[in-house]
DNA sequence: AGCATATGCAAGCTTCTACTTGCATGTCAA
DNA sequence: TTGACATGCAAGTAGAAGCTTGCATATGCT
């Protein structure tokens, strides 16, 4: 799971995760417009597409094809390994 | 806290955190020998020193000077932000 | 003081990463 | 089928990151 850390290293990819966390299941074009609008990120479509590939390879997002649309869904499962690796105490304690 | 993600991106730095998690408060030289022995990492002293600087800048380790020795301590506090950012569910649930 | 130990600083090099650019593929509607 | 829409692929480029190399500073022991 070394790819997870690498995927999280880029600010642009964390912004994409933020976007999907706020509104799950977006297409590439939706992400392009919303990232430009809300997060003040001027990223080209190809740049975002490549970031999505990295995030999917890391298991942080899953995709679903439907015709010419491809929807992207956030998956925070791989982040659990980070928490457990160095025994991060819970905020409740 | 963008530095935290960048600090975690390098496998060598994660190995250093692993070492400090197993045995806290090591000096630079201790880390050099133990990383070479146990983790099969052939890293120079300068390389490890630079990694420690990055980890300290990210707040993942703290240091204490005593004479010519400098001890390094693990601090998992900044990792909590990762958990809370995308609402990673607890393993208990 | 003199020497070994422990760490710090900085320039140079190589590799990788993120982004761009240009074109290709596939889907749907008229 | 034609054209617009949505995405995919791949080469090229500028910048950053990690590591090395060489020397410098500082502490402790004899």
């Amino acid at each position: 799971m070394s790819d997870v850390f690498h995927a999280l290293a880029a600010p642009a990819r964390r912004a994409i995760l933020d976007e999907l966390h706020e509104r799950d299941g977006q297409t590439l074009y939706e992400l392009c417009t919303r990232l430009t609008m809300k997060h003040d990120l001027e990223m080209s479509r190809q740049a975002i597409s490549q970031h999505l590939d990295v995030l999917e390879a890391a298991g942080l997002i899953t995709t679903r094809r439907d015709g010419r649309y491809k929807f992207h869904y956030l998956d925070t499962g791989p982040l659990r390994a980070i928490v457990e690796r160095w025994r991060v105490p819970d905020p409740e304690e």
Side-chain angles (χ1 to χ4, degrees), chain A:
Chain A
M1 295 296 170
S2 171
D3 294 331
V4 179
F5 296 97
H6 169 246
L8 292 173
R13 286 193 286 266
R14 296 197 295 274
I16 292 177
L17 294 183
D18 288 337
E19 241 316 298
L20 289 178
H21 180 253
E22 185 178 334
R23 182 193 179 101
D24 209 14
Q26 295 189 55
T27 66
L28 175 58
Y29 253 82
E30 281 183 278
L31 285 168
C32 286
T33 56
R34 289 178 64 106
L35 284 171
T36 304
M37 299 293 182
K38 309 186 64 176
H39 299 263
D40 283 336
L41 283 176
E42 291 287 345
M43 280 199 294
S44 69
R45 179 183 61 83
Q46 289 83 351
I48 297 182
S49 177
Q50 287 169 358
H51 283 308
L52 288 173
D53 290 339
V54 175
L55 289 170
E56 188 175 9
L60 287 167
I61 63 173
T62 58
T63 59
R64 184 177 59 88
R65 259 284 189 188
D66 186 24
R68 55 178 167 176
Y69 299 103
K70 188 178 182 183
F71 303 100
H72 301 83
Y73 300 92
L74 179 62
D75 183 4
T76 58
L79 294 179
R80 192 169 300 167
I82 301 177
V83 184
E84 294 171 349
R85 180 162 182 173
W86 296 291
R87 310 278 163 76
V88 181
D90 288 332
E92 281 75 17
E93 300 180 10

